[in-house]
Amino acid sequence: MEKITDMKKRTFAVDIDGTITENGGGRIHLDALEALRRLTNMGHDVIFVTGRSSVEGFLLSVFGGTTKVAVGENGGCITLDSNDHVLLGNIDECKHAFNVLKNNLKNVEEKYVFPRMTEVVLQRTFDLDVAQKILSENDLDVILSDSQYAYHINSAGIDKGSGFREIMKRFSITSDDVIAIGDSATDVPLFKVAKTSVALGNASDAVKSEATMTVSAHAGDGVLEALDKLAPRLSEI
Ligand SMILES: O=C(O)COP(=O)(O)O
Ligand SMILES: [Mg+2]
């Protein structure tokens, strides 16, 4: 397992819900956030990549003291500053897919979240496989995914991996330098653009099988366990 003992700059691509939050309510695991701030102070980049809005991810980076850029909307939007957003997805085709689902399936309801510019966020109140079948029968080229907190309808080709690749292009980051940390299926595309990927203890076996390493602790405790394994020097500063 790779250890960060050299001072080569790394980029940590970190999920939010189920990764640095303590529970379904979104409360931040403060020790995990402090460890991520320490990594930033050491000269590494720590970038949140989330299914929440990119504004929430950006604000967390400001208040948390990590790198001031965020990928949100499950890869659909990047926020570079308070009024600088890069839209990578197209919300109209997501809204059309939502209406088709609503007309063909019971309990398809939007989730009340912060406003989205590129995707539709749904409550986890219907069978995902049945919904996927309806979308393909209607030739709707969108992605329906489950973060364990919400279902997301994103444009075709839009996921956390494509969103983070946009960051990598803009900041000349190579996969070798990326360490991805996450808990759910929506993080798997992000794992695939990283040389090192960590699935937390609360991740499913399917998600764990897609990561290069797993930890036993859940959420924020799992982030601390992973950083101890990857960056033992962290505790020395
Ligand atoms: O809003 C969600 O779907 C959960 O977001 P996450 O990608 O930070 O886990
Ligand atoms: Mg998550």
Side-chain angles (χ1 to χ4, degrees):
M1 177 188 312
E2 182 207 30
K3 285 193 185 306
I4 303 173
T5 45
D6 61 26
M7 280 314 288
K8 186 166 170 282
K9 181 171 180 171
R10 294 295 193 289
T11 299
F12 292 79
V14 184
D15 171 54
I16 297 178
D17 284 294
T19 295
I20 59 165
T21 57
E22 284 176 342
N23 51 36
R27 192 170 70 165
I28 291 291
H29 187 296
L30 290 177
D31 289 347
L33 184 60
E34 185 196 13
L36 294 174
R37 182 183 293 182
R38 283 168 176 259
L39 281 173
T40 311
N41 293 344
M42 282 168 78
H44 300 293
D45 276 330
V46 175
I47 297 173
F48 294 117
V49 187
T50 178
R52 287 177 178 259
S53 66
S54 55
V55 171
E56 289 169 277
F58 184 80
L59 285 177
L60 180 57
S61 75
V62 172
F63 299 140
T66 52
T67 307
K68 306 283 174 292
V69 63
V71 179
E73 305 200 7
N74 214 36
C77 185
I78 292 171
T79 290
L80 299 161
D81 205 336
S82 49
N83 208 9
D84 186 359
H85 310 290
V86 179
L87 306 191
L88 302 173
N90 173 334
I91 196 166
D92 293 334
E93 52 199 16
C94 302
K95 284 181 174 172
H96 173 59
F98 166 55
N99 287 321
V100 169
L101 286 181
K102 208 162 170 56
N103 295 335
N104 290 278
L105 194 55
K106 284 199 177 72
N107 304 320
V108 177
E109 301 296 342
E110 287 198 88
K111 183 173 181 180
Y112 295 112
V113 292
F114 280 92
R116 293 296 199 267
M117 296 181 260
T118 69
E119 64 164 354
V120 170
V121 184
L122 302 176
Q123 296 176 35
R124 299 176 72 242
T125 50
F126 55 88
D127 184 299
L128 207 64
D129 295 333
V130 171
Q132 300 275 20
K133 199 161 166 295
I134 293 168
L135 293 175
S136 47
E137 280 164 0
N138 287 272
D139 297 325
L140 292 171
D141 197 10
V142 293
I143 303 177
L144 178 60
S145 61
D146 179 10
S147 70
Q148 298 299 309
Y149 288 85
Y151 289 158
H152 293 261
I153 303 179
N154 291 98
S155 303
I158 297 296
D159 57 31
K160 286 192 182 185
S162 61
F164 197 72
R165 272 201 302 276
E166 183 62 27
I167 292 280
M168 292 169 72
K169 249 188 291 177
R170 285 169 176 262
F171 298 99
S172 313
I173 298 167
T174 64
S175 285
D176 279 4
D177 300 333
V178 180
I179 297 167
I181 307 177
D183 73 304
S184 83
T186 55
D187 298 311
V188 171
L190 181 62
F191 288 176
K192 296 210 181 307
V193 302
K195 180 182 176 188
T196 306
S197 49
V198 182
L200 299 163
N202 44 307
S204 68
D205 289 344
V207 171
K208 286 176 181 170
S209 70
E210 300 282 351
T212 62
M213 68 181 268
T214 59
V215 291
S216 49
H218 288 204
D221 292 330
V223 170
L224 293 175
E225 182 184 336
L227 295 183
D228 277 351
K229 287 180 179 169
L230 286 166
R233 286 169 40 83
L234 189 67
S235 48
E236 292 164 16
I237 59 166

